[in-house]
């Protein structure tokens, strides 16, 4: 071995074994009894307490037994990790003895105890919620409790719960008068004012599905979305017409309240159920066209109910909303407060994108909750934002660097980190961030599943991987979307039958995210299994860029 090292001119390091770090060592043992008259002979382990390599498996073979010993570097491995590894090895041997011709990756190596922990114990998230209600119905219940409280305000207007509800009711009826029926698709393209929330609630009250359109998106991008969704109505403002593509859909201008002022302001009773698609949101598609994700009312109600407990909200809270409705995390900013009697300050597009204006807005309104992507918080820090000690920060949309988290924790009351693909109802995992002062490298873990959500870390054969090993993340539960709009093949490819759920017909979503399941049940994000990237929290399929360039 030394000769090989010499010939190969391998660089030597005192802490690393050259060429290899893991060894398998098979030794034949002499086990015949030796007679030494009256003397007693005992075997004694004279191995030292220094590991020669990172990890070694020594197997001592005798006529009757195989005695296995794992030797490991305690700077790299914890004892419980090695104990689990020993269990995996035993399970592997048992499976191979029974079925020697099976594929390695199909062999279940988890012990029954570890399998129960990763599939059931850490997925014990079942929680009762109002699964027979929709977002707007829960809002209507809150209107009765706090009719005169301010629900939402922008730079020029304040709207009470009662006023917001009545305006949305009138617009919902006018939507039906204009040709929509339950289940119709309605595009919403509006500036960030109080009218935006009126439009969103009106569409849900009408039993229709909204397609969010951001007026700052390129017109060609909006055209692709409109062409695919084919909305029957576009709720917008007259000043935004130049930014919208040509369409056969009927236009309703939100600011022209006289058009629907004569409609009844009572709560309408259109046919809406928890299975109704609340919104159709478009995300990057590898074919060159954006693909629409269908999210149901049930998933949204589960999300809001879960978020009301962690991170929590009360009628005393004030949310500063800064996210475009074309990004699904905006759902939390606009619906969580109004279901629990809190208030919303909706920032303009200009304010959301300008750090000086955003800092000024925070200082003016003193919000208690602010949600944004890491990019937004980096932007604030670069403008020397001093923070707000009464503020609860929610970070989502992309991986949260520990260095940034360390800075934010010292500027706010609480810091929370959320993770979830567009195909689920915004967040699937959530965690309060606690930072080790000495560990500021890498990313904050993405926590544990929220209420009624199940997460699995699986290999390519859909077998659960052991704790601490990388695998692809799959998500199941009430937050799961219905699938992709008019893309049945892609839906069946990504939304798979859930083999670990006791519920017949249950599905799980294949995220494409590579994660580690840590020994405390939390998830650590590693990378993508494909070429998808995130820019400012937005998903970008590089295949889409390639397709357009081609």
């Amino acid at each position: 071995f030394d000769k090989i090292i010499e010939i190969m001119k391998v660089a030597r390091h005192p802490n690393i074994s050259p060429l290899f770090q893991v060894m398998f060592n098979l030794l034949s043992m002499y086990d015949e009894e030796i007679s030494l008259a009256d003397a007693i002979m005992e075997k004694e382990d004279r191995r030292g307490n220094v590991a020669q390599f990172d990890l070694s498996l020594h197997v001592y073979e005798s006529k009757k037994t195989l005695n296995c010993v794992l030797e490991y570097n305690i700077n790299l491995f914890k004892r419980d990790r090695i104990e689990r590894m020993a269990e995996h090895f035993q399970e592997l041997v048992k499976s191979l003895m029974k079925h020697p011709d099976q594929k390695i990756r199909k062999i279940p190596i988890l012990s029954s105890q570890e399998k129960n922990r990763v599939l059931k114990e850490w997925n014990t998230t079942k929680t009762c919620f109002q699964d027979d209600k929709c977002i707007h119905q829960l809002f209507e219940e809150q209107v009765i409790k706090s009719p005169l409280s301010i629900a939402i305000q922008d730079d020029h207007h304040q709207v009470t719960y009662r006023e917001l509800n009545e305006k949305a009711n009138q617009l919902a009826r006018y939507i039906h008068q204009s040709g929509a029926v339950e289940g119709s698709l309605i595009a919403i393209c509006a500036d960030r004012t109080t009218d935006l929330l009126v439009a969103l609630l009106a569409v849900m009250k009408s039993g229709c599905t909204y397609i969010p359109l951001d007026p700052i998106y390129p017109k060609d991008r909006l055209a692709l979305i409109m062409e695919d969704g084919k909305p029957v109505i576009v709720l917008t403002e007259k000043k935004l017409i130049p930014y919208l593509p040509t369409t056969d859909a009927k236009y309703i201008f939100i600011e022209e309240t006289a058009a629907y002022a004569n409609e009844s302001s009572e709560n309408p009773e259109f046919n809406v159920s928890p299975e109704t698609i609340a919104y159709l949101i478009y995300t990057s598609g590898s074919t060159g066209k954006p693909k629409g994700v269908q999210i149901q009312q049930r998933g949204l109600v589960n999300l809001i109910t879960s978020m009301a407990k962690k991170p929590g909200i009360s009628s005393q809270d004030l949310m500063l909303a800064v996210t475009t409705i074309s990004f699904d995390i905006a759902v939390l900013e606009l619906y969580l407060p109004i279901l629990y009697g809190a208030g919303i300050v909706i920032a303009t597009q200009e304010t959301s994108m300008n750090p000086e204006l955003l800092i000024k807005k925070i200082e003016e309104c003193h919000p208690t909750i602010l949600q944004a992507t890491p990019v937004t918080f980096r932007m604030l820090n670069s403008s020397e934002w001093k923070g707000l000690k009464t503020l609860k920060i929610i970070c989502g949309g992309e991986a949260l660097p520990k260095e940034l988290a360390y800075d934010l924790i010292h500027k706010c009351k609480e810091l929370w980190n959320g993770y979830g693909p567009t195909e689920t109802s915004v967040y699937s995992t959530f965690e309060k961030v606690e930072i080790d002062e000495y560990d500021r490298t890498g990313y904050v873990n993405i926590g544990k599943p929220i209420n009624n959500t199940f997460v699995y870390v699986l290999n390519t054969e859909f077998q659960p991987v052991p704790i601490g090993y990388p695998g692809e993340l799959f998500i199941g539960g009430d937050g799961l979307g219905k699938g992709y709009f008019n893309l049945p093949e892609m839906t069946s490819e990504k939304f798979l039958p859930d083999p670990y759920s006791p519920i017949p017909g249950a599905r799980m979503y294949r995220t494409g995210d590579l994660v580690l399941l840590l020994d405390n049940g939390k998830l650590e994000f590693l990378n993508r299994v494909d070429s998808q990237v995130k820019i400012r929290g937005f998903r970008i399929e590089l295949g889409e860029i390639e397709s357009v360039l081609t």
Side-chain angles (χ1 to χ4, degrees):
F1 180 68
D2 288 337
K3 190 68 176 175
I4 293 171
I5 300 298
E6 184 182 329
I7 293 170
M8 295 186 67
K9 295 183 173 63
V10 177
R12 304 301 293 267
H13 192 283
N15 296 327
I16 300 174
S17 171
L19 289 189
F20 69 91
Q21 289 78 44
V22 180
M23 183 176 76
F24 172 75
N25 186 23
L26 178 63
L27 297 164
S28 294
M29 301 296 292
Y30 182 82
D31 62 350
E32 288 186 16
E33 291 185 6
I34 300 174
S35 177
L36 293 174
D38 294 334
I40 298 173
M41 185 175 73
E42 294 179 352
K43 288 181 181 178
E44 185 176 332
D45 191 342
R46 300 294 294 170
R47 290 182 302 242
N49 59 356
V50 177
Q52 188 177 1
F53 304 102
D54 291 355
L55 181 66
S56 300
L57 174 58
H58 304 286
V59 180
Y60 301 96
E61 181 182 25
S62 67
K63 288 183 178 179
K64 298 178 182 178
T65 62
L66 289 171
N67 192 17
C68 303
V69 176
L70 279 166
E71 180 184 276
Y72 62 97
N73 185 335
I74 60 172
N75 293 320
L76 299 175
F77 297 97
K78 292 181 180 178
R79 182 179 179 86
D80 57 355
R81 172 74 179 268
I82 296 298
E83 288 175 349
R84 286 198 301 268
M85 203 177 285
E87 291 176 351
H88 301 156
F89 185 70
Q90 291 181 76
E91 293 296 327
L92 178 71
V93 171
K94 288 176 188 175
S95 296
L96 286 173
M97 294 297 287
K98 291 178 182 176
H99 307 288
D101 297 327
Q102 63 185 314
K103 284 185 179 180
I104 293 281
R105 277 191 166 271
K106 285 191 174 180
I107 299 174
I109 65 169
L110 274 66
S111 66
S112 57
Q113 183 180 1
E114 186 178 5
K115 189 172 183 179
N116 182 69
R117 181 185 289 179
V118 301
L119 294 179
K120 295 181 180 178
E121 186 181 325
W122 286 341
N123 276 321
T124 306
T125 60
K126 192 66 182 173
T127 309
C128 290
F129 71 104
Q130 291 180 283
D131 58 356
D132 60 336
K133 297 285 180 69
C134 299
I135 290 290
H136 61 280
Q137 292 166 340
L138 295 173
F139 166 66
E140 289 164 1
E141 291 177 3
Q142 184 57 47
V143 172
I144 297 171
K145 298 175 186 175
S146 55
L148 301 180
S149 298
I150 302 300
I152 185 170
Q153 56 186 298
D154 57 29
D155 287 351
H156 306 288
H157 302 96
Q158 289 185 337
V159 180
T160 66
Y161 272 80
R162 179 185 290 164
E163 290 169 339
L164 178 61
N165 190 47
E166 288 177 349
K167 284 184 177 182
N169 289 341
Q170 290 174 321
L171 184 53
R173 286 188 164 85
Y174 188 65
I175 286 170
H176 272 260
Q177 295 284 348
S178 302
V181 295
E182 288 92 334
S184 291
L185 294 173
I186 296 177
I188 297 179
C189 184
D191 268 347
R192 297 180 56 76
T193 67
T194 57
D195 284 341
L196 177 61
L197 188 53
V198 171
L200 293 169
L201 286 170
V203 173
M204 287 196 281
K205 284 170 174 280
S206 69
C208 298
T209 300
Y210 69 84
I211 304 174
L213 301 178
D214 193 322
I216 68 167
Y217 274 20
K219 189 181 283 190
D220 286 350
R221 180 75 171 183
L222 296 180
L224 287 172
I225 294 173
M226 298 272 278
E227 181 185 330
D228 187 71
K230 294 181 175 56
V232 296
I233 290 172
V234 178
L235 284 177
T236 188
E237 300 165 62
K238 274 190 173 179
K239 64 182 180 181
L240 296 178
I241 291 295
Y243 302 98
L244 289 169
T246 305
T247 177
D248 294 331
K250 178 181 175 60
Y251 284 98
I252 294 179
F253 300 113
I254 309 168
E255 75 273 22
E256 294 184 350
T257 54
Y260 50 92
N262 293 327
E263 300 289 340
S264 170
S265 61
E266 296 298 313
N267 294 335
E269 295 183 1
F270 295 115
N271 186 23
V272 193
S273 77
E275 280 68 45
T276 298
I277 306 299
Y279 62 78
L280 177 63
I281 195 164
Y282 280 80
T283 186
S284 184
S286 57
T287 60
K289 291 184 177 181
K291 57 182 183 286
V293 179
Q294 304 173 96
I295 298 296
Q296 294 165 300
Q297 286 279 353
R298 181 193 304 277
L300 287 187
V301 172
N302 179 63
L303 168 80
I304 300 302
T305 305
S306 184
M307 293 295 105
K309 295 175 182 175
K310 287 174 53 178
I313 195 167
S314 75
S315 59
Q316 304 305 308
D317 279 306
L318 183 65
M319 172 83 81
L320 178 56
V322 299
T323 310
T324 168
I325 60 167
S326 292
F327 193 177
D328 66 344
I329 67 172
V331 164
L332 191 71
E333 298 174 2
L334 297 174
Y335 302 146
L336 176 61
I338 61 170
L339 264 58
Y340 292 90
I344 303 168
V345 174
I346 187 163
T348 64
Q349 185 70 41
E350 184 185 5
T351 298
S352 300
M353 301 294 287
N354 184 309
E356 282 77 22
L357 292 177
L358 186 53
I359 290 171
K360 185 180 177 183
K361 176 61 74 174
I362 292 170
E363 290 172 348
E364 282 177 359
C365 67
H366 275 78
T368 58
I369 307 174
L370 172 62
Q371 174 191 245
T373 63
V375 168
T376 299
F377 290 113
R378 279 201 203 96
M379 180 179 77
L380 289 173
N381 282 347
S382 68
S383 295
E384 299 181 354
W385 178 51
K386 292 181 175 59
L388 186 62
K389 287 297 181 180
T390 55
L391 185 63
K392 191 180 295 182
I393 287 178
I394 300 172
C395 226
E398 60 185 352
L400 173 60
K402 287 182 181 177
E403 186 68 40
L404 177 60
Y406 179 82
D407 288 341
L408 292 176
I409 274 181
H410 291 85
K411 291 181 175 180
C412 68
K413 180 182 177 182
E414 293 175 8
L415 174 62
W416 295 77
N417 187 37
Y419 160 88
T422 309
E423 287 79 359
T424 64
S425 305
V426 188
Y427 291 126
S428 298
T429 66
F430 211 71
E431 190 69 12
K432 186 177 181 181
V433 179
E434 308 285 353
I435 285 292
D436 182 343
E437 299 244 347
Y438 303 100
D439 179 16
R440 301 192 203 175
T441 58
Y443 296 96
V444 171
N445 71 65
I446 57 175
K448 295 181 178 181
I450 68 168
N451 291 351
N452 304 301
T453 301
F454 316 115
V455 296
Y456 314 113
V457 185
L458 310 178
N459 65 18
T460 54
E461 300 294 334
F462 306 112
Q463 291 285 348
V465 300
I467 297 168
Y469 289 74
E472 187 175 353
L473 179 62
F474 291 74
I475 301 172
D478 285 315
L480 212 59
K482 187 177 181 180
Y484 298 112
F485 182 66
N486 286 340
L487 294 170
E489 289 183 8
M490 185 177 288
T491 297
S492 59
E493 182 183 315
K494 291 288 189 178
F495 292 81
L496 307 172
D498 183 348
Y500 304 109
S501 173
I503 303 170
R507 301 172 306 147
M508 60 181 185
Y509 171 67
R510 185 173 200 167
T511 66
D513 287 330
L514 197 66
V515 299
L516 279 180
L517 186 56
L518 304 175
D519 55 12
N520 56 8
K522 297 178 182 180
L523 293 164
E524 181 180 324
F525 176 81
L526 298 177
N527 214 323
R528 289 288 301 175
V529 299
D530 55 20
S531 60
Q532 185 188 103
V533 298
K534 280 206 170 186
I535 299 175
R536 296 189 301 279
F538 288 93
R539 274 165 48 171
I540 307 293
E541 296 280 1
L542 294 183
E544 179 176 2
I545 309 301
E546 182 182 355
S547 176
V548 172
L549 288 173
T550 302

